[in-house]
Amino acid sequence: MTVERTKVSSFFSGKLSRICGRTRLACAAALAILLSAGVGLAQVLQQPKSAAVLPKVAVPPASVKFDTVTVERGDIEQTVDAAGKLQLNKYADANAQVAGQIKEVAVALGDTVQAGNMVVEITPTLQPAKMEDNRAQMARLQAELADQRAQMDFAELQFKRQTQLKAQNATREDTFESSRMSMSSASARVDSINAQIRQAEALLKIEEDSRQHNLVLAPISGTVVALNARAGQMVSPTQAAAPLIRIADLSKLTVEARVAEVDVTRLRRGMTANFTTPGYPGQHWSGALRQVIPVPAEGTGAHDKQTFYNVLFEVNNTDQKLMSGMSTQVQFIVAQAHDAVLLPMTLLGRPDADGLYSANVLDANSQLSRRKLKVGLRNQRQAQVLSGLAAGEQLLIGPVPASLLKQKQAMSAAPGAHAANWSDAASALKPAGAAPQTNRGATPER
């Protein structure tokens, strides 16, 4: 910096020597002026560049994006979930009523039959000769009856004649008594033969019924769902085995669901039950709860195992798309609400001592307000808001941005403003899981 001053002085001294050739007074004045200018220039050159003052430029406000979700209306259901199986609702078994050998099986598994149709024919073990002997016995008894009736008629005629002769005192007493005894004996023999004939008729009726029981008939209209009969198989009415044929009405099925003991107390008869099955993705069926079996389901509740109870309800199956044995995922509707204000469950934090939840709401002017929410029904995805929010409002997700927090604090510090504690607003509404779909709007920072 000294070198710069020397150069400046030399420059101005040279100029001065040329000017001083005129007048000493003028030279002295010029010298004073030039020295002052040199000193000022040197001071300017000595100032550091970082100390230069730049003019202030107005910076436009930056744009801040907030993550929000729009409060919507919809339907919500509170349910009890359970796994279940489809079962037959109405079915009947057909068994052999006579001992014998199966001659013919007229149906196959899956066939549709009508009530009264022949499904199995059995050849009985009863000998045909016995049936013929019974018929011959009947014929003999009928012949004896005719003979005894003729003898009874003759005995009655003899007794009548003896009675007339006795009135005329033209016969002996022993002859009269003998004719009366013959008439009574003939009548008794007729009665005895009639009794034997009735017995023979009963035997023949039994044999005829046995012949009719050779045919196994369908007890109800439906579908053959079990078949345990084959031609040549020996059967008996007293045989303890599976039924020859099982026929079921598949137009209605029963769902048996296993419900945990912690949930079964919430179920009531008549409650709506919806279910799906893996065989038909996206399709739903429904029914009304019929019965809760009051004993634990088989294989549950023993030792340290959890206890389950079987719950039954019916479902219409007129198109017979559903089949017995299909697995189901059942939802029993415990409570429901229509056109309710809904909020994703992931946005609910922890309730306060009064059971209320905190929420930060942004209005159309990006003004932040703190709300207390009262929640009603809830499920795994949504919660019903009873008070504190309205449909269409924007709910702020996550921590409150510092710009809004400073803005609120400034508004609270203004004269006459109601003071509010916003220091904990950053944690008022933190998602508990994956963040839901949000609305991102650009709002200028104030």
Side-chain angles (χ1 to χ4, degrees), residues 74 110 138 144 159 173 188 219 306 330 341 353 427:
M138 173 65 73
E144 290 182 1
F159 178 70
E173 185 67 23
Q306 186 178 1
V330 185
V341 178
S427 59

Side-chain angles (χ1 to χ4, degrees), residues 3-73:
V3 175
E4 291 180 359
R5 289 182 179 179
T6 304
K7 290 181 179 180
V8 172
S9 300
S10 300
F11 172 77
F12 286 108
S13 298
K15 292 289 183 179
L16 182 61
S17 60
R18 286 191 296 270
I19 296 174
C20 289
R22 300 177 183 176
T23 62
R24 185 175 297 275
L25 182 59
C27 291
L31 179 60
I33 294 173
L34 291 177
L35 288 176
S36 299
V39 172
L41 180 59
Q43 290 178 350
V44 171
L45 293 177
Q46 286 180 350
Q47 291 181 355
K49 296 181 180 181
S50 59
V53 178
L54 298 178
K56 294 184 178 180
V57 180
V59 180
S63 181
V64 179
K65 293 183 179 180
F66 303 117
D67 289 342
T68 61
V69 63
T70 303
V71 180
E72 299 178 348
R73 284 188 175 273

Side-chain angles (χ1 to χ4, degrees), residues 75-151:
D75 300 337
I76 185 172
E77 296 177 345
Q78 196 172 43
T79 61
V80 170
D81 297 343
K85 288 280 187 181
L86 283 168
Q87 297 181 347
L88 299 176
N89 177 54
K90 179 183 178 182
Y91 64 91
D93 296 335
N95 292 293
Q97 299 184 30
V98 295
Q101 187 178 34
I102 295 178
K103 179 181 179 181
E104 180 186 0
V105 179
V107 295
L109 198 63
D111 288 353
T112 301
V113 297
Q114 298 297 322
N117 288 356
M118 190 271 289
V119 291
V120 176
E121 183 179 358
I122 301 174
T123 301
T125 56
L126 183 66
Q127 297 297 329
K130 185 177 180 180
M131 298 178 62
E132 293 298 329
D133 182 66
N134 290 334
R135 291 192 179 95
Q137 182 71 12
M138 173 65 73
R140 182 180 62 81
L141 290 173
Q142 289 176 348
E144 290 182 1
L145 178 62
D147 179 62
Q148 289 298 324
R149 281 178 175 174
Q151 293 183 21

Side-chain angles (χ1 to χ4, degrees), residues 290-340:
R290 172 170 60 88
Q291 184 181 12
V292 177
I293 305 300
V295 295
E298 184 179 357
T300 69
H303 302 294
D304 295 334
K305 293 183 179 179
Q306 186 178 1
T307 303
F308 289 85
Y309 292 86
N310 289 328
V311 181
L312 307 178
F313 66 92
E314 277 67 47
V315 57
N316 291 325
N317 187 37
T318 54
D319 54 4
Q320 296 191 6
K321 295 174 63 175
L322 298 173
M323 292 177 282
S324 175
M326 282 185 169
S327 59
T328 61
Q329 188 62 39
V330 185
Q331 286 187 333
F332 296 97
I333 300 178
V334 178
Q336 57 184 343
H338 301 285
D339 195 31

Side-chain angles (χ1 to χ4, degrees), residues 14 21-22 46 68 71 85 100 122 138 186 196 209 213 219 280 291 318 323 347 350 375 412 417 422-423 436 446:
R22 300 177 183 176
Q46 286 180 350
T68 61
V71 180
K85 288 280 187 181
I122 301 174
M138 173 65 73
Q196 294 179 33
D209 291 342
H213 291 162
Y280 297 100
Q291 184 181 12
T318 54
M323 292 177 282
L347 298 184
R350 294 182 178 180
V375 176
S412 300
W422 286 87
S423 60
R446 297 180 180 274

